[in-house]
Amino acid sequence: MNIFRYNFIFSEYEIKGTRYKCFFSKDYYSKFKLFYAVLLDRITANDFDLFIDEEAIRRILKVLDDKFKSFFLRSVSANINGYTNIKRYVVSHIILKLLGIEDFLHILIDPYVNEIFVDGVSKPIYLDHAIFGRLVSQIRLSNEQMKRFLLYTKLRANVLLDFLVSPIRVDVNLYGQKLRISVMPQRTEEGPAINIRKILSIPPYLTFIYDDLARLYLSLMLTLLVLKPNIVIFGETGSGKTTLASLLIHAIPSSWRIALIEDVAEIPPQVVHDKHAIRMKVLSLEEKVAGLKGLRKDIAILEMLHRTPDLCFISEIHDKEDAEAMFHAMASGLRVIATTHARNINSLFERWFSIYNFPCSWLKLIDLIVFVKRESFRGRIIRIIDSLYVPSMNASLRYPDFQSISATATIAGDIGNITKESTILTIKGMSMLSLRLQTREKTEELINLILSMLKMRLEDISFSPIRKDVLAKIFRYISTRLNDIAKVIRSIGTNNPEEISRNIQLKMVEISKIIEKYQHVLLSVSMSRNLL
């Protein structure tokens, strides 16, 4: 079994299967123990209460600058960027050591960790890793450590909270990271359950790009993105719907205007920091059911018709009102990426066209439906893109059968009664192993066939013919950039996280420029044809 190792500042990490181990570097910790007591005495004057506030943190930084700068600079490895990072690390370490939870520091600052889960006292802490998915750490919080962590959360949030009475959600900053901490009381004596979402960590979609097959699907999806398609991403809870949406949004050209409609801000800020993006806070399903006042999601969707965004992201289509508003917005010309819950394509259509009783013809408003799943692989929980569904505007159109070329992909048969209204291309069941076992010509033939089918749908969107060689060129360029990102991800053990994050950002910018360039190419071709 492969073992992956990397480090960040003075923390070292080791991943083997589902196991996530973290510890301090020996050189750092041996020196930290020498000065810790002296430093603590100078900063706090033995007054613990003074240590938690912002003024105390400023005093720590001053003492570090005055007395320990040269000491630390002599002891650090060459791959640490700047003394500011060192100071932040040491301050965070001192605070958590005072609380008796210093080992928790590694997980909190690991830039590859997106979400942390503590299910109770003495239970192993597990996490969602941007590359390796769900992992289990060796760290457990005792009852006393749990109380101290909750105390620290209260003090840093600067609000009066009672974690034992009702669920609480607060934002806390630590080591330049914005932590969204949710605490939920439990009926057992194991203490509250804690969920920590790291808002500014490396984007969580790397787990998709890391997978060979997922990159093939992503290349097809991003090729479609050139003409601003309506995309619905569905799957069960925790399957990676918003994660995949964040990747698509990251690839969107910076010139596009994006509206994000979310009850909870789930699209990472670094994904939209260079884009024209507005965030609209709407009522969650729980708040809506409870009758609280605020902006409803279905109203916010329809309001977008007057704000002319190039693209609208809608997080979690929960009920009939939200779904109906989404379809109406699409019918009115709004371009949408939306997420919703369903266990498979049949249950999704059952809800839309049987329970909600929407006309089956509305399906033609959606250009691409994506099914994501969460699966267990060699003991690890991974997220995969299971299949793509491409409805046709023309009910009489019959896509050619894949079987003459490859057994690794199939065409949908009758999905409920939907195919009476629309033919649905299903790209499903592909395996990179199967593709590798075929000749290169066979694999290319399969990709060309898929592109030919997507070409039909793109022409439905643009209402003008599209040259297949242009489509193939877009696919090839995007596929190359995604492969480059995969190589960057695999350098996790040799490059520091800041460098990896910077390289990924540059490649995503290149993809967005490809999409913007060929959007203009296709638009100019369309206009010239219309003029003729």
Side-chain angles (χ1 to χ4, degrees):
M1 185 178 293
N2 291 334
I3 299 177
F4 298 89
R5 295 183 176 92
Y6 61 95
N7 58 72
F8 184 61
I9 312 300
F10 301 115
S11 291
E12 298 182 2
Y13 304 90
E14 180 181 292
I15 297 174
K16 182 179 180 180
T18 63
R19 297 297 172 183
Y20 173 96
K21 293 184 178 181
C22 49
F23 35 84
F24 293 105
S25 68
K26 292 181 179 179
D27 183 54
Y28 162 76
Y29 202 71
S30 62
K31 292 178 171 61
F32 178 84
K33 289 188 294 185
L34 291 175
F35 80 89
Y36 172 71
V38 177
L39 179 61
L40 184 62
D41 181 66
R42 291 184 179 182
I43 296 167
T44 66
N46 297 317
D47 188 346
F48 177 81
D49 290 337
L50 293 177
F51 192 82
I52 299 297
D53 62 17
E54 294 293 333
E55 179 58 32
I57 292 175
R58 284 192 287 271
R59 288 200 297 275
I60 298 174
L61 295 175
K62 186 175 187 305
V63 171
L64 285 175
D65 277 336
D66 292 346
K67 304 293 182 183
F68 295 98
K69 181 173 183 178
S70 59
F71 174 79
F72 267 107
L73 288 178
R74 288 197 304 270
S75 67
V76 302
S77 57
N79 66 342
I80 297 177
N81 295 328
Y83 186 55
T84 299
N85 283 345
I86 298 172
K87 289 193 296 183
R88 286 178 174 178
Y89 186 96
V90 175
V91 170
S92 302
H93 185 184
I94 292 171
I95 291 173
L96 295 185
K97 185 171 179 62
L98 273 173
L99 297 171
I101 53 174
E102 63 178 328
D103 287 338
F104 206 12
L105 173 68
H106 308 298
I107 305 180
L108 291 174
I109 70 165
D110 185 348
Y112 297 108
V113 171
N114 299 121
E115 201 156 359
I116 305 164
F117 307 93
V118 185
D119 286 349
V121 171
S122 299
K123 291 189 173 183
I125 296 172
Y126 57 102
L127 53 97
D128 279 347
H129 196 278
I131 299 172
F132 299 106
R134 181 68 52 82
L135 302 173
V136 181
S137 79
Q138 83 278 22
I139 300 173
R140 303 167 187 256
L141 295 182
S142 67
N143 187 46
E144 187 61 31
Q145 288 175 319
M146 179 77 81
K147 290 179 180 177
R148 290 179 178 181
F149 179 73
L150 294 177
L151 171 63
Y152 177 67
T153 301
K154 290 181 183 181
L155 292 169
R156 292 307 306 270
N158 198 29
V159 291
L160 295 174
L161 304 172
D162 188 348
F163 296 121
L164 301 179
V165 175
S166 60
I168 299 294
R169 186 165 60 209
V170 297
D171 288 344
V172 172
N173 289 309
L174 179 71
Y175 190 80
Q177 284 280 359
K178 184 177 181 182
L179 308 177
R180 178 158 294 147
I181 303 176
S182 302
V183 183
M184 179 174 292
Q186 299 190 85
R187 294 181 182 276
T188 67
E189 297 179 356
E190 297 172 340
I194 302 174
N195 173 265
I196 304 172
R197 175 166 291 183
K198 297 170 65 179
I199 305 299
L200 299 178
S201 58
I202 286 178
Y205 57 65
L206 299 189
T207 184
F208 285 121
I209 300 179
Y210 188 70
D211 179 72
D212 291 339
L213 179 57
R215 288 202 303 281
L216 173 60
Y217 284 130
L218 289 172
S219 299
L220 295 171
M221 295 166 64
L222 293 172
T223 299
L224 269 176
L225 201 59
V226 172
L227 286 175
K228 302 180 186 175
N230 290 321
I231 301 175
V232 173
I233 304 169
F234 77 95
E236 296 180 329
T237 300
S239 57
K241 299 182 294 296
T242 305
T243 299
L244 179 56
S246 69
L247 189 155
L248 298 178
I249 292 171
H250 203 170
I252 286 171
S254 57
S255 60
W256 292 13
R257 187 166 183 263
I258 310 167
L260 307 173
I261 300 177
E262 306 169 285
D263 47 8
V264 176
E266 294 189 289
I267 299 298
Q270 63 268 38
V271 167
V272 294
H273 81 280
D274 62 340
K275 305 185 189 304
H276 305 303
I278 58 172
R279 289 184 183 267
M280 297 189 67
K281 173 69 174 71
V282 296
L283 290 173
S284 66
L285 181 62
E286 295 79 7
E287 292 169 334
K288 185 177 177 180
V289 171
L292 299 181
K293 292 183 178 180
L295 180 62
R296 285 172 25 198
K297 187 174 293 180
D298 56 322
I299 301 300
I301 294 171
L302 295 176
E303 281 189 358
M304 285 298 102
L305 297 174
H306 306 290
R307 304 198 179 196
T308 62
D310 292 289
L311 189 98
C312 180
F313 169 68
I314 309 169
S315 173
E316 303 294 358
I317 299 294
H318 285 299
D319 52 25
K320 182 177 181 179
E321 289 77 15
D322 294 347
E324 187 171 13
M326 176 191 73
F327 279 115
H328 284 182
M330 290 177 178
S332 300
L334 193 67
R335 304 302 174 91
V336 170
I337 295 177
T339 63
T340 191
H341 286 85
R343 56 191 287 179
N344 54 47
I345 191 69
N346 290 297
S347 62
L348 178 65
F349 288 169
E350 180 72 19
R351 187 165 78 249
W352 281 350
F353 305 117
S354 295
I355 299 175
Y356 296 167
N357 203 29
F358 295 156
C360 292
S361 59
W362 285 11
L363 182 62
K364 300 173 187 176
L365 297 169
I366 304 174
D367 303 306
L368 182 65
I369 304 173
V370 186
F371 179 32
V372 291
K373 291 173 63 177
R374 185 175 59 175
E375 290 190 345
S376 177
F377 177 74
R378 295 179 180 175
R380 290 196 293 119
I381 300 297
I382 61 172
R383 296 175 176 87
I384 64 169
I385 302 174
D386 180 83
S387 44
L388 308 181
Y389 300 91
V390 186
S392 169
M393 296 284 282
N394 184 352
S396 63
L397 174 64
R398 292 298 165 195
Y399 289 115
D401 194 339
F402 274 119
Q403 301 303 321
S404 61
I405 294 178
S406 171
T408 62
T410 58
I411 293 291
D414 183 29
I415 302 180
N417 293 318
I418 304 306
T419 49
K420 293 179 180 178
E421 297 285 344
S422 175
T423 301
I424 301 174
L425 163 66
T426 302
I427 305 172
K428 178 182 174 63
M430 286 194 289
S431 154
M432 287 309 296
L433 177 61
S434 300
L435 290 176
R436 290 191 187 106
L437 291 175
Q438 298 181 111
T439 64
R440 180 177 178 181
E441 291 74 17
K442 283 284 188 182
T443 300
E444 289 181 355
E445 192 175 355
L446 172 63
I447 299 302
N448 286 332
L449 178 58
I450 295 173
L451 289 174
S452 296
M453 297 173 184
L454 292 179
K455 175 178 178 291
M456 299 178 191
R457 184 61 192 180
L458 286 168
E459 289 175 343
D460 286 342
I461 302 171
S462 64
F463 299 105
S464 62
I466 292 174
R467 286 169 48 188
K468 184 182 172 184
D469 62 323
V470 173
L471 198 61
K473 186 179 293 186
I474 300 171
F475 175 86
R476 188 167 59 252
Y477 285 166
I478 290 176
S479 181
T480 300
R481 299 310 186 279
L482 290 178
N483 289 337
D484 290 343
I485 294 176
K487 292 177 184 177
V488 171
I489 296 171
R490 293 192 176 100
S491 70
I492 181 173
T494 55
N495 292 326
N496 62 57
E498 290 95 339
E499 184 176 351
I500 288 176
S501 181
R502 183 167 54 252
N503 289 336
I504 291 172
Q505 178 65 28
L506 290 174
K507 294 299 178 183
M508 291 303 295
V509 169
E510 289 178 15
I511 290 175
S512 69
K513 288 182 178 179
I514 291 170
I515 292 172
E516 185 169 37
K517 173 184 176 181
Y518 282 96
Q519 179 197 10
H520 292 314
V521 169
L522 294 175
L523 180 62
S524 61
V525 170
S526 175
M527 290 180 64
S528 63
R529 290 180 188 275
N530 290 336
L531 289 173
L532 293 173

